[in-house]
Amino acid sequence: EVQLVESGGGLVQPGGSLRLSCTASGFIFSNYYMAWVRQAPGKGLEWVADLNLDASGKGYVDSVKGRFTISRDNAKASLYLQMNSLRAEDTAIYYCVRDPAWGAADIWGQGTMVSVSS
Amino acid sequence: DVVMTQSPLSLPVTLGQPASISCRSSQSLVASNGNIYLHWFQQRPGQSPRRLIYQVSNRDSGVPDRFSGSGSGTDFTLKISWVEAEDVGVYYCMQGTHWPKTFGQGTKVEIK
């Protein structure tokens, strides 16, 4: 079964850090672009960051540039999101997403909740 | 950034009746290769989003054929030929042609 499972969310104070992980199974991870998409409580979806097959190309939405870093380990079939200098507005469910091409996110994880609050 | 504007934002529908959601982009979604990367997602209550349609009109495996997508350039539509109870949720369009990829605000479909 094709599956993405996120972990690493939690409650963190403003200015703190968290590292999200996503473990893939059921498909050849190294053959796909991957991304993180987030959803603030009661709000819509926001494409946060993505990267290409060998992580040589990465993209970030402006609101997280310089604070978040997306990475992958193809040998471990895993995707990561290092989040630093967290702000209250980063509070959201973070979804790991498989992107076969041009944002056509065909597989989504169950999400991991990140709460930034003092 | 490309702004995706959906309408309506709330769509009460009678079971068995059709429903239509509009999605307009602030600039053309035709990529340099001639393809249009406009996708539709469904998010049922309490669930992760699920892709329904990719590249305007290609329905995903397992998606009922009462769902269809159409459009070109900057104007796109998701149609449900007849609404069933399982269709309740929020529907998002998303463009993948331009960076950053952007979603519409979402349209909440509910049963009258």
Side-chain angles (χ1 to χ4, degrees):
Chain A
E1 179 191 5
V2 175
Q3 199 172 7
L4 297 170
V5 178
E6 302 95 336
S7 60
L11 175 64
V12 62
Q13 291 188 337
S17 299
L18 273 179
R19 188 191 195 214
L20 306 183
S21 299
C22 168
T23 301
S25 59
F27 65 97
I28 302 174
F29 181 75
S30 57
N31 285 356
Y32 290 87
Y33 284 42
M34 296 295 296
W36 289 97
V37 175
R38 68 183 177 183
Q39 186 171 35
K43 301 297 184 183
L45 301 168
E46 181 181 38
W47 194 278
V48 174
D50 61 22
L51 77 174
N52 62 3
L53 303 183
D54 62 1
S56 61
K58 302 177 184 181
Y60 300 92
V61 69
D62 281 351
S63 58
V64 308
K65 274 181 189 172
R67 301 188 299 122
F68 289 12
T69 302
I70 189 172
S71 62
R72 67 190 297 163
D73 184 334
N74 286 340
K76 294 183 178 179
S78 295
L79 178 72
Y80 306 101
L81 187 67
Q82 177 66 44
M83 303 185 296
N84 299 330
S85 303
L86 282 161
R87 306 166 180 166
E89 54 265 35
D90 296 318
T91 294
I93 297 172
Y94 285 73
Y95 295 101
C96 172
V97 165
R98 187 178 84 170
D99 182 6
W102 298 82
D106 63 343
I107 303 295
W108 295 64
Q110 85 287 352
T112 187
M113 183 69 201
V114 172
S115 297
V116 184
S117 175
S118 55
Chain B
D1 297 1
V2 176
V3 177
M4 305 297 290
T5 303
Q6 290 183 229
S7 63
L9 299 184
S10 177
L11 185 55
V13 186
T14 301
L15 285 173
Q17 293 301 302
S20 180
I21 300 170
S22 170
C23 174
R24 291 195 167 124
S25 58
S26 60
Q27 56 185 276
S28 173
L29 299 186
V30 179
S32 54
N33 61 12
N35 292 332
I36 299 175
Y37 297 103
L38 184 285
H39 319 299
W40 289 95
F41 299 88
Q42 174 195 60
Q43 188 174 31
R44 290 172 170 152
Q47 295 187 12
S48 299
R50 161 202 183 198
R51 194 181 73 183
L52 290 179
I53 287 174
Y54 60 97
Q55 287 184 243
V56 182
S57 58
N58 298 284
R59 198 168 43 247
D60 269 277
S61 173
V63 173
D65 59 8
R66 63 177 183 276
F67 288 90
S68 64
S70 63
S72 61
T74 61
D75 205 345
F76 304 90
T77 302
L78 175 70
K79 290 183 179 175
I80 310 175
S81 299
W82 66 91
V83 172
E84 297 190 1
E86 66 179 15
D87 301 334
V88 165
V90 181
Y91 292 78
Y92 297 92
C93 60
M94 193 210 88
Q95 67 83 20
T97 300
H98 305 282
W99 181 262
K101 299 173 175 67
T102 46
F103 292 88
Q105 319 97 299
T107 294
K108 187 174 184 178
V109 172
E110 58 185 9
I111 305 301
K112 279 183 185 176

